[in-house]
Coordinates of all heavy atoms in Angstrom, one line a residue:
V85 N 10.5 0.1 -10.5 CA 9.3 0.4 -11.3 C 8.2 -0.5 -10.9 O 7.1 -0.1 -10.8 CB 9.7 0.2 -12.8 CG1 8.4 0.2 -13.7 CG2 10.7 1.2 -13.3
E86 N 8.5 -1.8 -10.6 CA 7.5 -2.7 -10.2 C 6.9 -2.3 -8.8 O 5.7 -2.4 -8.6 CB 8.1 -4.2 -10.0 CG 8.2 -4.9 -11.3 CD 6.8 -5.1 -12.0 OE1 5.9 -5.6 -11.4 OE2 6.8 -4.8 -13.2
L87 N 7.8 -1.8 -7.9 CA 7.4 -1.3 -6.6 C 6.4 -0.1 -6.8 O 5.3 -0.1 -6.2 CB 8.6 -0.8 -5.8 CG 8.3 -0.2 -4.5 CD1 7.7 -1.2 -3.5 CD2 9.6 0.4 -3.9
L88 N 6.7 0.8 -7.7 CA 5.8 1.9 -7.9 C 4.5 1.5 -8.5 O 3.4 1.9 -8.1 CB 6.5 2.9 -8.9 CG 7.6 3.8 -8.4 CD1 8.2 4.6 -9.5 CD2 7.1 4.7 -7.3
L89 N 4.5 0.6 -9.5 CA 3.3 0.1 -10.1 C 2.4 -0.7 -9.2 O 1.2 -0.7 -9.4 CB 3.6 -0.7 -11.3 CG 4.3 0.1 -12.5 CD1 4.7 -0.9 -13.6 CD2 3.3 1.1 -13.1
N90 N 3.0 -1.2 -8.1 CA 2.2 -2.0 -7.2 C 1.9 -1.3 -5.9 O 1.4 -1.8 -4.9 CB 3.0 -3.3 -6.8 CG 3.0 -4.3 -8.0 OD1 1.9 -4.5 -8.6 ND2 4.2 -4.7 -8.4
S91 N 2.2 0.0 -5.9 CA 1.9 0.9 -4.7 C 0.7 1.7 -4.9 O 0.5 2.2 -5.9 CB 3.1 1.8 -4.4 OG 4.3 1.1 -4.1
T92 N -0.1 1.8 -3.8 CA -1.3 2.7 -3.8 C -0.8 4.1 -3.5 O -1.3 5.1 -4.0 CB -2.3 2.2 -2.9 OG1 -2.7 0.9 -3.2 CG2 -3.6 3.1 -2.9
F93 N 0.1 4.2 -2.5 CA 0.7 5.4 -2.0 C 2.2 5.4 -2.1 O 2.8 4.4 -1.8 CB 0.3 5.7 -0.5 CG -1.2 5.7 -0.3 CD1 -1.9 4.6 0.1 CD2 -1.9 6.9 -0.4 CE1 -3.3 4.6 0.3 CE2 -3.3 7.0 -0.2 CZ -3.9 5.8 0.2
V94 N 2.8 6.5 -2.5 CA 4.2 6.6 -2.6 C 4.7 7.8 -1.7 O 4.2 9.0 -2.0 CB 4.8 6.8 -4.0 CG1 6.3 7.0 -4.0 CG2 4.4 5.5 -4.8
F95 N 5.5 7.6 -0.7 CA 6.0 8.7 0.1 C 7.0 9.5 -0.8 O 7.9 9.0 -1.4 CB 6.8 8.1 1.3 CG 7.2 9.2 2.3 CD1 6.3 10.1 2.8 CD2 8.5 9.2 2.7 CE1 6.8 11.1 3.7 CE2 8.9 10.1 3.7 CZ 8.1 11.0 4.1
S96 N 6.7 10.8 -0.9 CA 7.4 11.7 -1.8 C 8.0 12.9 -1.0 O 7.5 14.1 -1.3 CB 6.5 12.2 -2.9 OG 6.0 11.1 -3.6
P97 N 8.9 12.8 -0.1 CA 9.4 13.9 0.6 C 10.3 14.7 -0.3 O 10.9 14.2 -1.3 CB 10.2 13.3 1.8 CG 10.7 12.0 1.2 CD 9.6 11.5 0.3
G98 N 10.6 16.0 0.1 CA 11.6 16.7 -0.6 C 12.9 16.1 -0.4 O 13.1 15.2 0.4
G99 N 13.9 16.7 -1.0 CA 15.3 16.2 -0.8 C 16.2 17.4 -0.8 O 16.2 18.3 0.1
A100 N 17.0 17.4 -1.8 CA 18.0 18.5 -1.9 C 17.4 19.8 -2.3 O 18.0 20.9 -2.3 CB 19.1 18.1 -2.9
S101 N 16.1 19.8 -2.8 CA 15.4 21.0 -3.1 C 13.9 20.8 -2.7 O 13.6 19.8 -2.1 CB 15.4 21.2 -4.7 OG 14.6 20.1 -5.3
V102 N 13.1 21.9 -2.9 CA 11.8 21.8 -2.5 C 10.9 20.8 -3.3 O 9.9 20.4 -2.8 CB 11.1 23.2 -2.6 CG1 10.9 23.6 -4.0 CG2 9.8 23.3 -1.8
N103 N 11.4 20.4 -4.4 CA 10.7 19.5 -5.2 C 11.1 18.0 -4.9 O 12.1 17.8 -4.3 CB 11.0 19.8 -6.7 CG 10.0 19.1 -7.6 OD1 9.0 18.6 -7.2 ND2 10.3 19.2 -8.9
S104 N 10.3 17.1 -5.5 CA 10.6 15.7 -5.3 C 10.3 15.0 -6.6 O 9.2 15.0 -7.1 CB 9.8 15.1 -4.2 OG 9.9 13.7 -4.2
F105 N 11.3 14.4 -7.2 CA 11.1 13.6 -8.5 C 10.2 12.4 -8.2 O 9.5 12.0 -9.1 CB 12.4 13.2 -9.2 CG 13.2 12.3 -8.4 CD1 13.0 10.9 -8.4 CD2 14.3 12.8 -7.6 CE1 13.8 10.1 -7.7 CE2 15.1 11.9 -6.9 CZ 14.9 10.6 -6.9
R106 N 10.1 12.0 -6.9 CA 9.2 10.9 -6.6 C 7.8 11.3 -6.8 O 6.9 10.4 -7.0 CB 9.4 10.4 -5.1 CG 10.6 9.5 -5.0 CD 10.9 9.2 -3.5 NE 12.3 8.9 -3.4 CZ 13.3 9.8 -3.4 NH1 13.0 11.0 -3.5 NH2 14.5 9.4 -3.4
F107 N 7.5 12.5 -6.6 CA 6.1 13.0 -6.8 C 5.6 12.7 -8.2 O 4.6 12.1 -8.4 CB 6.0 14.5 -6.6 CG 4.7 15.1 -6.6 CD1 3.9 15.2 -5.5 CD2 4.2 15.7 -7.8 CE1 2.6 15.7 -5.5 CE2 2.9 16.3 -7.8 CZ 2.1 16.3 -6.6
G108 N 6.4 13.1 -9.2 CA 6.1 12.8 -10.6 C 6.1 11.3 -10.9 O 5.3 10.8 -11.7
E109 N 7.1 10.5 -10.3 CA 7.1 9.1 -10.5 C 5.9 8.4 -10.0 O 5.3 7.5 -10.6 CB 8.3 8.5 -9.9 CG 9.6 8.9 -10.5 CD 10.9 8.4 -9.8 OE1 10.8 8.1 -8.5 OE2 11.9 8.4 -10.4
A110 N 5.4 8.9 -8.8 CA 4.2 8.3 -8.2 C 3.0 8.5 -9.1 O 2.3 7.6 -9.4 CB 4.0 8.9 -6.8
L111 N 2.9 9.7 -9.6 CA 1.7 10.1 -10.4 C 1.8 9.3 -11.7 O 0.7 8.7 -12.2 CB 1.7 11.6 -10.8 CG 1.4 12.5 -9.6 CD1 1.7 13.9 -10.0 CD2 0.0 12.3 -9.1
Q112 N 2.9 9.2 -12.4 CA 3.1 8.4 -13.6 C 2.7 6.9 -13.4 O 2.3 6.3 -14.3 CB 4.5 8.6 -14.2 CG 4.7 10.0 -14.7 CD 3.9 10.4 -15.9 OE1 3.5 9.6 -16.7 NE2 3.5 11.7 -15.9
A113 N 3.0 6.4 -12.2 CA 2.7 5.0 -11.9 C 1.3 4.8 -11.5 O 0.9 3.6 -11.2 CB 3.7 4.5 -10.8
G114 N 0.5 5.9 -11.3 CA -0.9 5.7 -10.9 C -1.1 5.7 -9.4 O -2.1 5.3 -8.9
A115 N 0.0 6.0 -8.7 CA -0.1 6.0 -7.2 C -0.4 7.4 -6.7 O -0.4 8.4 -7.4 CB 1.2 5.6 -6.6
I116 N -0.8 7.5 -5.4 CA -1.1 8.8 -4.8 C 0.1 9.2 -4.0 O 0.6 8.5 -3.1 CB -2.3 8.6 -3.8 CG1 -3.5 8.1 -4.6 CG2 -2.5 9.8 -3.0 CD1 -4.6 7.6 -3.7
P117 N 0.7 10.4 -4.3 CA 1.8 10.9 -3.6 C 1.4 11.3 -2.1 O 0.4 11.9 -1.9 CB 2.2 12.2 -4.3 CG 1.6 12.1 -5.7 CD 0.3 11.3 -5.4
V118 N 2.3 10.9 -1.2 CA 2.2 11.3 0.2 C 3.3 12.3 0.5 O 4.4 12.0 0.3 CB 2.3 10.1 1.2 CG1 2.2 10.5 2.6 CG2 1.2 9.0 0.9
V119 N 2.9 13.5 0.8 CA 3.9 14.6 1.0 C 3.8 15.1 2.4 O 2.8 14.9 3.2 CB 3.6 15.7 0.0 CG1 3.8 15.2 -1.4 CG2 2.3 16.3 0.2
T120 N 4.8 15.8 2.8 CA 4.9 16.4 4.1 C 4.4 17.9 4.1 O 4.2 18.4 3.0 CB 6.3 16.4 4.7 OG1 7.2 17.0 3.7 CG2 6.7 15.0 4.9
S121 N 4.2 18.5 5.2 CA 3.5 19.8 5.3 C 4.3 20.9 4.6 O 3.8 21.9 4.1 CB 3.3 20.2 6.7 OG 4.5 20.2 7.4
N122 N 5.6 20.7 4.4 CA 6.4 21.8 3.8 C 6.6 21.6 2.2 O 7.2 22.4 1.6 CB 7.8 21.8 4.4 CG 8.6 20.5 4.1 OD1 8.1 19.5 3.9 ND2 10.0 20.7 4.2
Y123 N 6.0 20.5 1.7 CA 6.1 20.3 0.3 C 5.2 21.2 -0.5 O 4.0 21.3 -0.2 CB 5.8 18.8 0.0 CG 5.9 18.5 -1.5 CD1 7.2 18.3 -2.0 CD2 4.9 18.4 -2.3 CE1 7.4 18.0 -3.4 CE2 5.0 18.1 -3.7 CZ 6.3 17.9 -4.2 OH 6.5 17.7 -5.5
V124 N 5.7 21.8 -1.6 CA 5.0 22.6 -2.5 C 4.8 21.9 -3.8 O 5.8 21.7 -4.6 CB 5.6 24.0 -2.7 CG1 4.8 24.8 -3.7 CG2 5.9 24.7 -1.4
P125 N 3.6 21.4 -4.2 CA 3.5 20.7 -5.4 C 3.7 21.5 -6.7 O 3.6 22.8 -6.6 CB 2.0 20.2 -5.4 CG 1.5 20.6 -4.1 CD 2.4 21.5 -3.4
P126 N 3.9 20.9 -7.8 CA 4.1 21.7 -9.1 C 2.9 22.6 -9.4 O 1.8 22.3 -9.2 CB 4.2 20.6 -10.1 CG 4.6 19.4 -9.4 CD 4.0 19.5 -8.0
F127 N 3.3 23.9 -9.8 CA 2.3 24.9 -10.2 C 1.4 25.3 -9.1 O 0.3 25.9 -9.3 CB 1.5 24.5 -11.4 CG 2.4 24.2 -12.6 CD1 2.4 23.0 -13.2 CD2 3.1 25.2 -13.2 CE1 3.2 22.7 -14.3 CE2 3.9 25.0 -14.3 CZ 4.0 23.8 -14.8
H128 N 1.7 25.0 -7.8 CA 0.9 25.5 -6.7 C 1.0 27.0 -6.6 O 2.1 27.5 -6.7 CB 1.3 24.8 -5.4 CG 0.6 25.3 -4.2 ND1 -0.6 24.9 -3.9 CD2 1.0 26.2 -3.2 CE1 -1.0 25.6 -2.8 NE2 0.0 26.3 -2.4
P129 N 0.1 27.8 -6.4 CA -1.3 27.5 -6.0 C -2.2 27.4 -7.3 O -3.4 27.3 -7.1 CB -1.7 28.6 -5.1 CG -1.0 29.8 -5.7 CD 0.3 29.2 -6.2
D130 N -1.7 27.6 -8.5 CA -2.5 27.6 -9.7 C -3.2 26.3 -10.0 O -4.2 26.2 -10.6 CB -1.7 28.1 -10.9 CG -1.1 29.4 -10.6 OD1 -1.8 30.4 -10.4 OD2 0.2 29.6 -10.6
V131 N -2.6 25.2 -9.5 CA -3.1 23.9 -9.7 C -3.4 23.4 -8.3 O -2.6 23.4 -7.4 CB -2.2 22.9 -10.4 CG1 -2.7 21.5 -10.5 CG2 -1.9 23.4 -11.9
D132 N -4.7 23.0 -8.0 CA -5.1 22.5 -6.7 C -4.9 21.0 -6.7 O -5.6 20.2 -7.3 CB -6.6 22.9 -6.5 CG -7.1 22.4 -5.1 OD1 -6.3 22.0 -4.3 OD2 -8.3 22.5 -4.9
W133 N -3.9 20.6 -5.9 CA -3.6 19.1 -5.7 C -4.3 18.5 -4.5 O -4.1 17.3 -4.2 CB -2.1 19.0 -5.6 CG -1.3 19.3 -6.8 CD1 -0.8 20.5 -7.1 CD2 -1.0 18.5 -7.9 NE1 -0.1 20.4 -8.3 CE2 -0.3 19.2 -8.8 CE3 -1.3 17.1 -8.2 CZ2 0.2 18.6 -10.0 CZ3 -0.9 16.6 -9.3 CH2 -0.1 17.4 -10.2
S134 N -5.1 19.3 -3.7 CA -5.6 18.8 -2.4 C -6.4 17.6 -2.5 O -6.4 16.8 -1.5 CB -6.3 20.0 -1.7 OG -7.4 20.4 -2.5
D135 N -7.1 17.3 -3.6 CA -8.0 16.1 -3.7 C -7.2 14.9 -4.3 O -7.7 13.9 -4.5 CB -9.2 16.4 -4.6 CG -10.2 17.3 -3.9 OD1 -10.2 17.4 -2.6 OD2 -10.9 18.0 -4.6
C136 N -5.9 15.1 -4.6 CA -5.1 14.1 -5.1 C -4.1 13.6 -4.0 O -4.1 12.4 -3.6 CB -4.3 14.6 -6.3 SG -2.9 13.6 -6.8
I137 N -3.3 14.5 -3.5 CA -2.2 14.1 -2.6 C -2.7 13.8 -1.2 O -3.8 14.2 -0.8 CB -1.1 15.2 -2.5 CG1 -1.6 16.5 -2.0 CG2 -0.4 15.4 -3.9 CD1 -0.6 17.6 -1.8
V138 N -1.9 13.1 -0.4 CA -2.2 13.0 1.0 C -1.0 13.7 1.7 O 0.1 13.5 1.5 CB -2.2 11.5 1.5 CG1 -2.2 11.4 3.0 CG2 -3.3 10.7 0.8
R139 N -1.4 14.7 2.5 CA -0.4 15.6 3.2 C -0.4 15.2 4.7 O -1.5 15.1 5.3 CB -0.8 17.0 3.0 CG 0.3 18.0 3.5 CD -0.1 19.4 3.3 NE -0.2 19.8 1.9 CZ 0.9 20.1 1.1 NH1 2.1 20.2 1.6 NH2 0.7 20.5 -0.2
V140 N 0.8 14.9 5.2 CA 0.9 14.6 6.6 C 1.7 15.7 7.3 O 2.7 16.2 6.7 CB 1.6 13.2 6.9 CG1 0.6 12.1 6.4 CG2 2.9 13.1 6.2
S141 N 1.4 16.0 8.5 CA 2.1 17.0 9.3 C 3.4 16.4 9.8 O 3.6 15.2 9.9 CB 1.3 17.5 10.5 OG 1.2 16.5 11.4
D142 N 4.3 17.3 10.1 CA 5.6 16.9 10.6 C 5.5 16.0 11.8 O 6.2 15.0 12.0 CB 6.5 18.1 11.0 CG 6.8 19.0 9.9 OD1 6.6 18.6 8.7 OD2 7.2 20.2 10.1

Side-chain angles (χ1 to χ4, degrees):
V85 170
E86 283 297 313
L87 175 66
L88 286 173
L89 292 173
N90 291 309
S91 296
T92 304
F93 300 93
V94 173
F95 186 51
S96 306
S101 68
V102 71
N103 196 10
S104 170
F105 61 85
R106 277 172 207 80
F107 186 87
E109 290 175 341
L111 292 170
Q112 292 295 324
I116 299 167
V118 177
V119 299
T120 54
S121 58
N122 66 338
Y123 183 76
V124 179
F127 299 116
H128 175 79
D130 301 302
V131 175
D132 181 9
W133 293 94
S134 60
D135 291 333
C136 165
I137 63 176
V138 172
R139 188 177 295 275
V140 293
S141 70
D142 297 343

